[in-house]
Amino acid sequence: MEIIPRPLKIIKKNGVNHINRSLNLRFNNQNLKFTVNHLHQELEKFYQFHITYNSADQELNYIEFCLENTGQGSEGYILEIGSGFIKIAAEKPAGIFYAVQTLLQIMLQKKVPGSNEINLNCCRIEDRPRFSWRGMHLDVSRHFFGIDFIKRYLDLLALHKLNRFHWHLTDDNGWRIEIKKYPLLTEICSWRKDLEHIPWNQRAESNVPGKGVYGGFYSQKDIRNIVEYAAERFIEVIPEIEMPGHSSEVFAAYPEFSCQGKKLTVASGGLRSNPHNFCPGKDETLKFLQDILTEVIELFPSRYIHLGGDEVNKTIWKECPHCQQRIRKENLRDETELQGWFANRIAAFLNSKGRNVIVWDEVIAATSKIAATVMCWRGDGVGAAQKAASARLNAIMCPNNTLYFDWKQNPGDKGAFGVTSLQDVYNYEPVPDLFSAEESKHILGAQGNVWTEWMADKDRVEYMILPRMTALAEVVWSDIENRNFADFSHRLQDFKQILRQENYNFNQR
Ligand code: ACM
Ligand code: ZN
């Protein structure tokens, strides 16, 4: 059976199941309605079936969906293909959804052009994921992607049994989320001068004259729509609001929350050395950010909110009287501790609202006292993971040297920075070598990051992530003993058939 990610256990049985037009779908729990419908719609895209529901007297050619005790955990499932029937069982609706993904893979890969019957070998599959955090990130600041593409991206996550979408909504090159209290964030900070004809790293960073015309944003209605679409597919959407760095776009409209109070333009590109941060010395800055986060948590039911915290160039803080006064008043050693103080303040605010906080790993370097989950991205991420585990904090692995899908897939390709091949991704192991069993419990899983400086449109994004995210899916789902690159490469040939049928633009090599 050519399934990606590879299931825990496949037990082959004798016999063949002939599925034909008059397929009957049986379920007894309304929570499964979306998933059952999803299977129905996917099958209808490719077969002229006449599907009916809940006809208990149909003795053959049915699929039964059961919520019951399976011993496979909250995301696991058992899929049994018998002769004449298919049974899907899981403890939770998420498990049923993943079983349907497996079944669809089998059914769509077996498609014979012109045929309206599917022949499946009988078997029993027992399956559950290795990690709870199986994610993909998308940067929508460097280039904006509309909600149709975000849905397509979520479809891809679902196809790969990934369950976390990290939505990088704000950065120097555009603010992308409507905040009712501060309308200029989207009237002004979402738009930049169109310099798309110039390579990203050759664009001037600031003070480019001319009206902002290039960009876009998600209305609160759009966000609710996406969160609901994701939830139907058992994907948690984690919004990221970057602070205190990677935030200069805000100062195109609200310069009073920076140190110098100087109005900037939204940068159309350029290198990442921007020193224009939020000023943590001013109480008003904290108030502004708390107001924004108050609207963010209304929109996102996620357990986690991501606060950024990476690559903070602190040169202006050194000269800012507000920042220096804060350092003295709070008895901090330096600007790094000031970042730690700031992160702790914002985290405490979110914790008080019942939310967990995620930060990039620079924050744990600035303060080990923070109550947060750490995203380990620099280098191999191991040092940061070690630091997190020592502080009894959880970590999510997204090392730039392996899981940054803006990096090239092959040495000759276009792309940012280094090279991370399909095989590099496949061979990635989220739990660091020397971790004890106790430390390993702090590794929640891993995710692929997709920074879009060099990806201006959806086709480019798809090309850069596919099939590397397919390899990642197996890293985070499948048991380590079941991972084998040659075997994966073989199964990938069939998986590509599905990518082709769904018109994804993947790297064909
Ligand atoms: C990052 O790549 N700056 C988190
Ligand atoms: Zn300041």
Side-chain angles (χ1 to χ4, degrees):
M1 291 257 175
E2 318 294 3
I3 302 162
I4 294 178
R6 196 188 147 105
L8 191 59
K9 214 188 259 183
I10 302 175
I11 303 147
K12 296 198 167 134
K13 302 257 166 116
N14 291 331
V16 177
N17 184 325
H18 309 281
I19 296 178
N20 61 42
R21 275 193 100 232
S22 56
L23 182 64
N24 187 245
L25 304 180
R26 295 181 193 172
F27 64 107
N28 56 7
N29 186 309
Q30 286 309 304
N31 289 331
L32 302 181
K33 200 166 166 192
F34 172 81
T35 297
V36 175
N37 253 311
H38 174 74
L39 174 69
H40 182 157
Q41 282 170 11
E42 286 297 307
L43 286 178
E44 270 194 347
K45 272 201 225 164
F46 303 103
Y47 296 95
Q48 270 81 52
F49 276 10
H50 177 70
I51 293 176
T52 55
Y53 283 85
N54 292 326
S55 315
D57 51 353
Q58 184 171 322
E59 283 178 13
L60 291 173
N61 205 31
Y62 65 85
I63 305 178
E64 190 180 6
F65 303 81
C66 304
L67 282 176
E68 63 187 35
N69 201 349
T70 58
Q72 302 299 324
S74 60
E75 295 184 298
Y77 63 88
I78 295 176
L79 168 62
E80 204 176 333
I81 301 179
S83 54
F85 76 95
I86 293 174
K87 180 177 171 184
I88 289 173
E91 290 177 10
K92 294 272 161 37
I96 302 280
F97 185 77
Y98 295 133
V100 162
Q101 296 307 319
T102 297
L103 183 60
L104 276 169
Q105 265 191 45
I106 303 171
M107 287 173 139
L108 298 182
Q109 284 167 182
K110 293 271 173 180
K111 170 121 184 74
V112 179
S115 166
N116 233 344
E117 186 170 292
I118 317 173
N119 296 316
L120 303 177
N121 293 324
C122 293
C123 68
R124 175 184 165 91
I125 297 176
E126 298 175 5
D127 196 15
R128 58 174 180 267
R130 180 173 169 214
F131 290 104
S132 63
W133 191 285
R134 306 184 302 277
M136 283 291 285
H137 150 286
L138 184 67
D139 164 13
V140 294
S141 175
R142 274 50 178 267
H143 285 96
F144 177 70
F145 300 89
I147 60 167
D148 287 349
F149 180 64
I150 301 300
K151 289 183 177 174
R152 196 170 155 83
Y153 199 77
L154 292 167
D155 289 344
L156 266 180
L157 267 76
L159 175 67
H160 289 85
K161 303 189 176 92
L162 299 177
N163 64 355
R164 303 282 186 266
F165 173 46
H166 169 177
W167 206 356
H168 186 79
L169 287 164
T170 70
D171 212 304
D172 296 314
N173 312 104
W175 180 277
R176 306 293 179 216
I177 170 174
E178 180 189 20
I179 300 295
K180 304 264 192 209
K181 185 153 188 182
Y182 299 105
L184 300 183
L185 284 171
T186 41
E187 275 171 39
I188 293 177
C189 309
S190 299
W191 305 95
R192 66 189 190 223
K193 179 123 192 264
D194 185 353
L195 299 183
E196 291 301 299
H197 54 291
I198 301 173
W200 184 271
N201 58 353
Q202 291 170 27
R203 299 178 197 171
E205 267 181 25
S206 57
N207 299 321
V208 183
K211 193 171 156 43
V213 292
Y214 185 91
F217 65 90
Y218 309 103
S219 68
Q220 296 203 346
K221 186 160 168 258
D222 291 339
I223 302 255
R224 288 202 171 89
N225 182 337
I226 290 297
V227 166
E228 184 185 341
Y229 190 90
E232 286 168 343
R233 290 155 183 78
F234 301 92
I235 297 166
E236 182 174 336
V237 185
I238 295 95
E240 180 182 354
I241 308 295
E242 268 272 21
M243 60 187 79
H246 286 284
S247 57
S248 65
E249 82 288 13
V250 172
F251 312 131
Y254 300 101
E256 60 272 35
F257 304 118
S258 68
C259 292
Q260 298 172 325
K262 267 199 315 220
K263 201 164 201 159
L264 304 175
T265 56
V266 179
S268 297
L271 300 169
R272 307 180 182 187
S273 56
N274 188 332
H276 300 287
N277 307 323
F278 284 114
C279 176
K282 299 177 184 171
D283 291 340
E284 307 82 66
T285 306
L286 294 159
K287 161 95 172 43
F288 175 70
L289 291 168
Q290 288 176 7
D291 287 345
I292 289 170
L293 291 169
T294 299
E295 290 193 34
V296 168
I297 58 184
E298 288 268 310
L299 291 168
F300 292 91
S302 53
R303 288 163 292 173
Y304 294 95
I305 307 288
H306 197 311
L307 296 179
D310 57 322
E311 299 179 309
V312 184
N313 174 335
K314 303 179 181 81
T315 50
I316 293 180
W317 284 3
K318 286 192 174 50
E319 289 147 21
C320 169
H322 307 282
C323 287
Q324 293 307 313
Q325 196 194 353
R326 180 78 76 197
I327 287 175
R328 281 192 301 275
K329 194 165 146 236
E330 299 293 337
N331 233 338
L332 306 171
R333 199 174 308 147
D334 56 12
E335 290 72 26
T336 298
E337 286 199 356
L338 179 61
Q339 184 181 355
W341 175 87
F342 168 81
N344 270 308
R345 279 291 298 261
I346 302 285
F349 172 75
L350 285 167
N351 293 161
S352 78
K353 308 279 175 198
R355 303 304 177 99
N356 296 331
V357 163
I358 300 180
V359 291
W360 295 114
D361 64 39
E362 285 93 333
V363 175
I364 181 103
T367 169
S368 57
K369 284 192 287 229
I370 192 160
T373 295
V374 183
M375 245 178 205
C376 305
W377 74 277
R378 287 181 294 173
D380 60 12
V382 170
Q386 187 74 61
K387 203 157 183 167
S390 306
R392 296 178 196 280
L393 299 177
N394 289 336
I396 297 155
M397 304 306 287
C398 50
N400 63 359
N401 68 12
T402 317
L403 298 185
Y404 269 36
F405 298 159
D406 53 331
W407 286 30
K408 301 172 181 64
Q409 303 179 69
N410 299 286
D413 285 356
K414 275 198 304 187
F417 311 107
V419 179
T420 175
S421 69
L422 181 66
Q423 188 161 4
D424 292 336
V425 176
Y426 191 82
N427 289 337
Y428 179 65
E429 169 49 35
V431 177
D433 275 349
L434 298 172
F435 263 37
S436 67
E438 198 49 43
E439 289 172 318
S440 305
K441 286 187 198 148
H442 289 289
I443 305 293
L444 299 184
Q447 67 176 36
N449 287 356
V450 184
W451 303 101
T452 57
E453 286 93 338
W454 301 95
M455 300 181 215
D457 59 50
K458 77 171 198 32
D459 283 349
R460 188 73 197 162
V461 173
E462 289 178 13
Y463 176 85
M464 293 304 281
I465 64 174
L466 293 168
R468 287 186 291 190
M469 79 182 274
T470 315
L472 171 69
E474 194 148 307
V475 169
V476 289
W477 180 283
S478 302
D479 240 43
I480 193 162
E481 293 81 29
N482 278 339
R483 265 162 57 194
N484 172 304
F485 185 66
D487 177 60
F488 168 78
S489 304
H490 172 75
R491 280 177 285 124
L492 186 59
Q493 297 315 310
D494 277 355
F495 193 83
K496 283 181 176 172
Q497 189 54 33
I498 291 179
L499 296 178
R500 230 171 256 124
Q501 282 166 5
E502 303 276 0
N503 284 318
Y504 286 109
N505 182 42
F506 60 92
N507 184 349
Q508 308 267 356
R509 265 196 288 198

